[in-house]
């Protein structure tokens, strides 16, 4: 059982309930969370494309439109609640893919008006961080945020989540997805999982790949280009197997992430690290981070795919925290944006 970060009841002494909507990429999730920190329901669906292909905004949005209403019904049934039990609705304002974001927000706006409840906008990245703090009990760790659209090293300071380092080109999850496409791996359940399983079969042969750390930042475009050129050539020539390539690929990109994470931990004088984002459920990444943290006398806080991968509860929880601070908006202001930095929103619910 994972430790849970408990919070006080609402300001009126009652338990508040929030329904959160997440649809920034190929996953659509609806979650219900209480102000006691209990996740009552958290169903989601994934838009899966054929091997060797990625997901496009328009097709992804259509998928979300087709499943979101049944998902809301499923969420209410699983939580054993009725619409009148919901105190507020939270949605992903950004960052993310435009069409999927808007498709999700439209349904949220409609329900907010039908149910007559307040709306709370949530930064997707902050959602990942607060979800991690909730389910692991982490207080104030360095955050390694790794996903398909983001790669950042984050620390909290004075009401904001400050970015200490990040990718200067593509995100690590995007790099992983590209590598999986080059190798022709399945997108079911997701490319990173299939690379992780193949990597377990490798280990006998390490293939040197581009390793690009620039201060506190990282670059994954070099290793991505390597995959598209050299890796394919090696497969055709029979000088490497897919397992060899997956093993070497993982070891290289994760070593880069461990390096900049440790540097941020030293700078902030903390030995604890929280790993969030879809890539964060990779067991090998967690193992490498744990080795580094153990050597520093610290601790790693990590989660499995239930909470690392995009989900509705991760939007509902910070939405509820913001709602308790009065941070609601009218329907007319419930817009979406594809670019929304982690350090943009003010974190009013934290006093440390």
């Amino acid at each position: 059982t994972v430790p849970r970060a408990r919070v006080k009841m609402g300001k009126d002494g009652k338990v508040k309930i929030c329904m959160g909507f997440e649809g920034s990429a190929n996953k659509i999730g609806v979650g219900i969370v209480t102000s006691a920190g209990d996740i009552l329901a958290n169903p989601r669906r994934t838009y899966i494309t054929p091997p060797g292909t990625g997901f496009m905004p328009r097709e992804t949005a259509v998928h979300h439109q087709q499943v979101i209403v049944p998902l809301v019904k499923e969420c209410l049934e699983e939580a054993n609640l009725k619409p009148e039990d919901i105190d507020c609705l939270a949605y992903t304002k950004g960052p993310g893919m435009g069409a999927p974001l808007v498709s999700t927000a439209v349904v949220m706006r409609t329900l907010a008006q039908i149910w007559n409840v307040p709306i709370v906008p949530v930064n997707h990245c902050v959602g990942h961080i607060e979800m991690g703090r909730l389910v692991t009990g982490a207080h104030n760790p360095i955050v390694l945020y790794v996903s398909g659209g983001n790669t950042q090293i984050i620390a909290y300071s004075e009401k904001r989540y400050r970015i200490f380092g990040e990718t200067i080109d593509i995100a690590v999850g995007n790099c992983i997805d590209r590598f999986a496409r080059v190798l022709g791996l399945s997108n079911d359940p997701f490319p990173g999982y299939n690379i992780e399983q193949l990597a377990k079969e490798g280990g006998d042969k390490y293939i040197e790949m581009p390793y690009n750390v620039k201060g506190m930042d990282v670059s994954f475009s070099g290793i991505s280009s390597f995959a598209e050129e050299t890796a394919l050539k090696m497969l055709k020539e029979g000088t490497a197997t897919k397992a060899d390539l997956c093993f070497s690929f993982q070891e290289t990109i994760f070593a880069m992430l461990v390096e900049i994470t440790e540097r941020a931990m030293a700078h902030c004088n903390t030995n604890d690290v929280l790993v969030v984002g879809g890539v964060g459920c990779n067991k090998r990444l967690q193992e490498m981070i744990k080795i580094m943290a153990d050597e520093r006398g610290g601790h790693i806080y990590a989660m499995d795919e239930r909470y690392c991968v995009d989900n509705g509860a991760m939007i509902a929880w910070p939405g509820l925290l913001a709602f308790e601070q009065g941070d609601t908006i009218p329907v007319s202001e419930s817009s979406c944006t594809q670019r929304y930095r982690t350090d943009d929103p003010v974190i009013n619910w934290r006093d440390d």
Side-chain angles (χ1 to χ4, degrees), residues 262-342:
E262 184 172 19
R263 191 171 291 130
M265 291 166 71
H267 180 82
C268 296
N269 194 30
T270 180
N271 292 325
D272 294 338
V273 56
L274 170 65
V275 185
V276 301
V279 179
C281 60
N282 185 292
K283 296 298 183 184
R284 177 54 181 159
L285 173 60
Q286 292 182 12
E287 180 185 15
M288 292 173 71
I289 292 288
K290 183 179 186 303
I291 291 171
M292 178 270 289
D294 286 347
E295 290 176 351
R296 297 178 60 85
H299 185 75
I300 176 177
Y301 295 90
M303 303 172 285
D304 57 29
E305 67 279 355
R306 292 175 299 167
Y307 305 119
C308 266
V309 176
D310 292 352
N311 62 88
M314 72 177 228
I315 302 302
W317 176 240
L320 196 53
L321 295 175
F323 171 70
E324 276 298 304
Q325 300 299 317
D327 294 337
T328 62
I329 58 173
V331 173
S332 59
E333 295 179 13
S334 58
S335 60
C336 298
T337 176
Q338 292 179 266
R339 300 185 184 280
Y340 191 14
R341 296 276 292 176
T342 309

Side-chain angles (χ1 to χ4, degrees), residues 22 26 37 63 94 101 118 159 195 232 286 289:
E22 158 56 30
N26 69 324
H63 167 267
L101 279 171
K159 298 289 185 180
I195 284 181
L232 274 179
Q286 292 182 12
I289 292 288

Side-chain angles (χ1 to χ4, degrees), residues 74-95:
E74 179 184 338
C75 192
L76 285 170
E77 290 173 0
E78 185 179 333
N80 195 26
L81 296 174
K82 298 178 180 179
E84 50 265 34
D85 297 319
I86 305 299
D87 293 292
C88 64
L89 298 182
Y91 77 103
T92 302
K93 179 180 177 66

